[in-house]
């Protein structure tokens, strides 16, 4: 017998599910040659364990011969059809939102959010929509302002700006630099800021796919101009433009 | 039937089981009977098993690697000898039904 090590319930169930998936595949293959076949509809496993709590997680140590006083952990898996899964699964539109781990929050906040069942930004927003006061149910003082900023930052990193091309144009008879790309100006509350060769430049118009920047005729672009675009607090782009 | 949460290969890996144990995907099919229909030609009766509900004690080998991944092995009780220190018997219950497509 291998040395006994404590395991987490989710890892145990994970393994159990994988093994049962493989069982289903085995039975399906067997059914090709032997028409008489059965499908496993339910599996229940009683495991004698010693649960322990290390302050963060509950782990289970499998009872060994001669050890008394073990608890019985019963895991019951029922089958579910794909149709039922589809019917009972809430479909979220658009890109999946970042998980709490992706936000880069400190360990204490992450643990606390996890403890109250918050695992993704979607979960947080669902609670916010229902006006749940998280402070009332969490032990630590979570900095929600910082959390909101991290969420926005994580979101922005998933839809990072990309510049496809830049060209010189004119607007009302004045030269302007047209920047084209994707996910450029996506925050309607934050007008983009442009700095051309260390001087603030006026952004004439902006949108997710373009930015139009007025170029001062007195200081036109030169052979190696530098344009810095602050699209929002989480997206700053620096490009060198050769006129 | 579909077990939800195909965790892919996350729970797999080169975790060796004790050689006396079978992985669960090998053990479970072995616990399912494979009986043909019971036919009494004189009485003109044909009986068929349409489902099983099996509960059996098992010994488990639960292997955990450094990343916390778990692999499960099991076997029905290996030794039938009454000893002063008995193995730990866990329990597994399987409910299987005959596939509708079976003849």
């Amino acid at each position: 017998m291998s040395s006994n090590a404590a395991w987490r319930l989710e890892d145990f169930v994970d393994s159990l599910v994988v093994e049962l998936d493989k069982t289903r595949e085995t039975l399906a293959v067997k059914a090709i040659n032997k028409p008489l076949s059965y499908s496993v509809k339910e599996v229940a496993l009683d495991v004698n364990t010693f649960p322990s709590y290390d302050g963060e997680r509950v782990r289970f140590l499998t009872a060994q011969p001669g050890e008394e006083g073990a608890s019985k952990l019963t895991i019951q898996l029922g089958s579910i059809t794909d149709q039922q899964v589809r019917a009972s699964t809430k479909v979220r539109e658009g890109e999946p939102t970042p998980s709490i781990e992706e936000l880069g929050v400190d360990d204490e906040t992450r643990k606390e959010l996890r403890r109250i069942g918050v695992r993704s930004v979607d979960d947080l927003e669902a609670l916010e929509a229902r006006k749940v006061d998280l402070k009332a149910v969490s032990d630590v003082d979570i900095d929600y302002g910082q959390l909101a900023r991290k969420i926005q930052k994580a979101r922005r990193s998933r839809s990072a700006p990309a510049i496809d091309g830049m060209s010189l144009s004119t607007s009302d008879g004045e030269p302007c630099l047209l920047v084209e790309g994707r996910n450029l100006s996506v925050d309607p509350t934050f007008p983009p800021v442009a700095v051309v060769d260390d001087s603030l430049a006026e952004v004439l118009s902006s949108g997710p796919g373009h930015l139009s920047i007025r170029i001062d005729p007195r200081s036109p672009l030169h052979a190696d101009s530098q344009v810095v675009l602050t699209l929002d607090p989480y997206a700053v782009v620096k490009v060198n433009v050769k006129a | 039937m579909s077990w939800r949460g195909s965790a892919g290969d996350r729970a797999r890996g080169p975790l060796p089981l004790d050689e006396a144990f079978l992985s669960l995907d090998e053990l479970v099919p072995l616990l399912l009977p494979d009986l043909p229909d019971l036919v009494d030609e004189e009485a003109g009766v044909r009986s068929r098993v349409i489902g099983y509900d099996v509960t059996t004690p098992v010994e488990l080998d639960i292997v955990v690697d450094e990343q916390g991944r778990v692999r499960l092995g099991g076997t029905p009780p290996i030794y039938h000898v009454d000893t002063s220190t008995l193995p730990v018997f866990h329990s597994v219950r399987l409910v299987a039904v005959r596939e509708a497509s079976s003849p």
Side-chain angles (χ1 to χ4, degrees):
Chain A
M1 179 81 71
S2 312
S3 61
N4 199 19
W7 36 268
R8 296 186 311 167
L9 186 58
E10 60 200 78
D11 293 321
F12 185 91
V13 173
D14 221 20
S15 176
L16 186 59
V17 168
V18 169
E19 293 291 339
L20 292 173
D21 262 340
K22 223 173 144 190
T23 302
R24 179 178 53 80
E25 287 160 13
T26 304
L27 290 173
V29 171
K30 192 177 170 187
I32 294 171
N33 294 320
K34 288 183 80 73
L36 176 63
S37 66
Y38 296 90
S39 64
V40 180
K41 291 291 179 191
E42 191 181 318
V43 174
L45 195 58
D46 291 348
V47 188
N48 298 304
T49 67
F50 293 98
S52 63
Y53 178 60
D54 62 8
E56 184 184 344
R57 289 179 181 278
V58 174
R59 291 176 194 272
F60 297 86
L61 194 63
T62 315
Q64 297 297 292
E67 293 179 341
E68 293 182 359
S71 306
K72 186 173 80 173
L73 173 69
T74 298
I75 296 167
Q76 193 164 354
L77 296 180
S79 67
I80 183 167
T81 64
D82 290 345
Q83 266 186 338
Q84 286 172 311
V85 173
R86 280 194 291 273
S88 60
T89 303
K90 185 174 149 191
V91 179
R92 285 179 168 140
E93 291 178 359
E95 291 285 310
T97 57
S99 67
I100 293 299
E101 278 72 17
E102 284 177 68
L103 294 184
V105 293
D106 61 280
D107 275 359
E108 196 69 15
T109 304
R110 183 177 53 78
K111 279 182 210 166
E112 191 57 29
L113 289 173
R114 196 182 169 89
R115 189 183 70 77
I116 56 177
V118 175
R119 288 165 193 274
S120 70
V121 171
D122 263 352
D123 294 337
L124 267 178
E125 288 176 344
L127 291 175
E128 192 182 358
R130 298 180 69 169
K131 302 193 187 312
V132 174
D133 181 7
L134 286 182
K135 280 185 182 172
V137 293
S138 57
D139 290 337
V140 297
D141 191 18
I142 296 174
D143 184 342
Y144 291 97
Q146 187 193 47
L147 198 57
R149 287 192 291 278
K150 284 180 184 292
I151 290 171
Q152 286 177 321
K153 186 179 172 188
R155 282 231 163 106
R156 192 54 164 131
S157 68
R158 285 194 164 196
S159 56
I163 293 177
D164 295 329
M166 300 179 87
S167 57
L168 280 171
S169 179
T170 55
S171 174
D172 294 333
E174 292 196 332
C176 71
L177 181 65
L178 182 64
V179 182
E180 291 174 295
R182 287 157 285 139
N183 303 321
L184 296 178
S185 175
V186 292
D187 184 352
T189 64
F190 190 96
V193 177
V195 174
V196 179
D197 292 330
D198 299 327
S199 299
L200 197 62
E202 184 186 355
V203 177
L204 298 169
S205 65
S206 64
H210 85 286
L211 246 78
S212 181
I213 303 159
R214 181 176 171 272
I215 301 295
D216 188 345
R218 290 168 297 174
S219 48
L221 296 175
H222 52 77
D224 194 16
S225 289
Q226 190 180 69
V227 179
V228 179
L229 303 171
T230 304
L231 301 166
D232 53 62
Y234 311 102
V236 180
V237 180
K238 184 164 38 171
V239 285
N240 290 321
V241 183
K242 291 185 178 176
Chain B
M1 186 198 74
S2 167
W3 296 94
R4 288 200 63 182
S6 296
D9 289 330
R10 196 147 70 87
R12 294 187 193 288
L15 297 174
L17 287 174
D18 187 296
E19 60 183 18
F21 292 79
L22 295 169
S23 62
L24 283 195
D25 69 285
E26 293 173 292
L27 176 65
V28 170
L30 293 176
L31 292 174
L32 297 176
D34 193 6
L35 292 174
D37 288 355
L38 306 171
V39 183
D40 185 338
E41 289 180 359
E42 285 183 16
V45 176
R46 173 181 287 262
S47 300
R48 56 173 45 180
V49 179
I50 57 169
Y52 291 99
D53 189 332
V54 183
T55 303
T56 175
V58 286
E59 292 181 45
L60 291 178
D61 185 21
I62 302 174
V63 185
V64 185
D65 74 4
E66 289 173 356
Q67 284 79 45
R69 293 179 308 169
V70 172
R71 191 169 180 213
L72 303 174
T75 175
I78 301 172
Y79 302 109
H80 300 271
V81 180
D82 195 12
T83 55
S84 55
T85 304
L86 286 170
V88 177
F89 293 123
H90 309 275
S91 172
V92 65
R93 175 171 178 249
L94 294 173
V95 178
V97 296
R98 190 173 179 136
E99 291 276 17
S101 56
S102 283

